[in-house]
Amino acid sequence: MKKNRKKILTLILACISLVIILIAGYEIKENVRINKIVKAHKMEQSSIQNDDVKNVDEKYSEHVTTAVQQIMIGTMSNNYDNALQTLLAIKNAGYESIELNDFMIHKSSLLIKLMTKFSGMSIGNGGKLDWPKLIEESGLKVVSLHSNLGSIENDAKAIADEAKKFGTDTVVITGMYKFNYSRLDDVEELAERLNQAGKALSEEGVRLLYHNHNVELQKVTSEKTAYDIIIEETDPAYVNFEFDSYWMTDGGANVPALMEKLGSRMKLWHITDRGYTKSGPYMTPILKENVTELGYGNMDLDTLSAIAIKHGVEGVILETHKNWVDNDPIKSLQVSAEYMQEKFGDKDK
């Protein structure tokens, strides 16, 4: 009996050792790949002066800020130098800002790392880096800070102070974890919680935006979705919106109609294209669509851009979190920058 236990224990230890070796090998391989990508782009940027990238003059009141969501560069944040070179690449591509996530600028739990990694949106090792210093050295601005409702309710001042530390007056609730959007009472309670959180932040000189996914499209009455209720029962003085058109398209919504309904309450817009970019043959039964570079998918971004501009959107934030061209997030954001500059670049400059 003891011999069997010893064999089983030995086998378990051997399996654990093998898993550790495989994980370590994968991490080494990933670091080599990331270092290679950053080095290639660093050579490209060596002839580009950061000062040549336009700075926004406050007199251009209709200016639309262009930014990149931090989740897009999680894989590139394996060390300080790679993170800095990636931020410089963002600036040199013509973007002015980055949208930060509080779970990416602080040390995160293993659970969050695993969840984001397996969902295709790895947060990397950014939580170990000095982001205030990185932002300062890169010359980028911070358009907003993603946080969560629980943290705001727990200590609104701390969240507001962190946002202001990065020079932004905007906090975005990135989503509700394990929240049931199918019950009217729950959604109405959420709207009231958002009002209270927004009021608490406003007292600290910071505004609150709500970021959607597709689950808000659940019907809570015969005619209204959870998103309808959130829009209608939140106070514009305390709660406005960062609209994500990709997720609403994914959920089958009438996206132009939703953007029109939000109107000027859509302060920021998460822009992503959606299509199938792998080589054919394109045969039945279905193609699995995914995020893709702006202008290379099937979303009617021209119509959506016109609506956003008409209603005075303040910032447009790229979030192509996977399926990058050549598996390179820097190349992907550079390709998308062409569309961003065409639609949102200052025409009078």
Side-chain angles (χ1 to χ4, degrees):
M1 190 68 176
K2 289 183 177 179
K3 288 184 178 180
N4 288 337
R5 287 181 179 175
K6 189 174 181 180
K7 286 182 179 179
I8 293 172
L9 181 59
T10 301
L11 181 60
I12 292 173
L13 291 174
C15 290
I16 292 174
S17 298
L18 179 60
V19 170
I20 292 173
I21 291 171
L22 290 174
I23 291 174
Y26 173 79
E27 291 295 331
I28 292 171
K29 184 178 179 181
E30 272 293 280
N31 284 332
V32 170
R33 184 183 71 84
I34 291 166
N35 292 342
K36 186 176 180 181
I37 289 174
V38 172
K39 184 177 180 180
H41 287 292
K42 188 175 182 180
M43 292 174 66
E44 288 176 5
Q45 293 164 198
S46 62
S47 60
I48 301 175
Q49 298 297 319
N50 290 335
D51 292 340
D52 291 339
V53 180
K54 61 179 170 47
N55 291 314
V56 181
D57 192 318
E58 291 181 359
K59 71 180 181 180
Y60 290 90
S61 60
E62 296 181 358
H63 174 79
V64 178
T65 296
T66 56
V68 171
Q69 225 294 327
Q70 189 185 14
I71 197 73
M72 190 170 178
I73 63 168
T75 55
M76 312 306 292
S77 302
N78 60 333
N79 60 53
Y80 188 93
D81 185 61
N82 283 350
L84 177 59
Q85 293 304 321
T86 301
L87 293 175
L88 290 172
I90 290 172
K91 191 170 192 299
N92 287 329
Y95 301 91
E96 304 151 56
S97 300
I98 186 167
E99 181 175 60
L100 297 177
N101 306 313
D102 60 5
F103 60 89
M104 293 183 71
I105 58 176
H106 299 295
K107 290 182 180 179
S108 296
S109 67
L110 179 60
L111 177 61
I112 291 178
K113 285 187 174 182
L114 290 175
M115 286 174 60
T116 54
K117 191 174 186 66
F118 287 120
S119 66
M121 299 181 288
S122 175
I123 63 174
N125 294 317
K128 300 177 181 179
L129 307 180
D130 186 344
W131 282 94
K133 184 179 178 182
L134 280 167
I135 296 300
E136 182 180 1
E137 286 192 48
S138 72
L140 286 170
K141 295 180 180 179
V142 174
V143 66
S144 58
L145 173 69
H146 270 211
S147 189
N148 64 84
L149 183 55
S151 295
I152 297 169
E153 290 174 327
N154 183 56
D155 193 343
K157 185 178 187 307
I159 300 299
D161 286 346
E162 180 153 66
K164 287 186 280 189
K165 179 176 70 176
F166 285 104
T168 181
D169 65 352
T170 304
V171 169
V172 183
I173 291 177
T174 187
M176 297 295 295
Y177 180 63
K178 288 189 175 180
F179 181 82
N180 185 0
Y181 284 91
S182 62
R183 285 174 44 87
L184 177 59
D185 289 348
D186 291 342
V187 176
E188 288 180 329
E189 181 183 354
L190 172 61
E192 181 55 30
R193 289 174 65 192
L194 291 172
N195 284 329
Q196 293 301 318
K199 183 178 180 180
L201 285 176
S202 71
E203 292 171 354
E204 302 296 334
V206 171
R207 64 179 180 176
L208 178 67
L209 306 184
Y210 178 87
H211 178 280
N212 67 277
H213 292 91
N214 56 11
V215 71
E216 289 90 350
L217 292 175
Q218 293 298 312
K219 285 286 185 71
V220 292
T221 72
S222 61
E223 296 181 350
K224 293 186 178 182
T225 66
Y227 200 56
D228 291 326
I229 300 300
I230 292 170
I231 294 171
E232 294 166 10
E233 298 196 12
T234 51
D235 186 341
Y238 300 128
V239 182
N240 286 291
F241 295 86
E242 177 179 76
F243 186 69
D244 192 311
S245 53
Y246 176 89
W247 286 119
M248 287 303 189
T249 299
D250 180 76
N254 183 335
V255 177
L258 275 179
M259 292 177 76
E260 292 285 7
K261 181 172 183 174
L262 287 172
S264 62
R265 294 186 72 186
M266 182 179 68
K267 304 301 183 183
L268 300 178
W269 174 26
H270 265 207
I271 188 171
T272 311
D273 212 339
R274 186 169 186 265
Y276 190 86
T277 55
K278 294 182 180 178
S279 59
Y282 304 129
M283 301 174 67
T284 53
I286 59 173
L287 293 176
K288 184 179 179 182
E289 292 193 342
N290 209 329
V291 293
T292 189
E293 286 70 40
L294 303 184
Y296 289 84
N298 300 314
M299 290 179 66
D300 186 3
L301 294 181
D302 290 351
T303 294
L304 302 187
S305 297
I307 295 172
I309 291 170
K310 178 180 73 172
H311 289 293
V313 71
E314 298 172 16
V316 181
I317 301 156
L318 177 71
E319 185 189 12
T320 306
H321 51 258
K322 57 183 178 179
N323 197 40
W324 305 303
V325 58
D326 295 335
N327 199 27
D328 181 345
I330 297 177
K331 184 178 289 187
S332 179
L333 65 88
Q334 288 173 333
V335 171
S336 291
E338 297 174 10
Y339 187 90
M340 293 284 266
Q341 291 304 311
E342 176 189 344
K343 292 297 179 183
F344 308 108
D346 292 324
K347 302 295 189 297
D348 299 328
K349 299 183 90 173

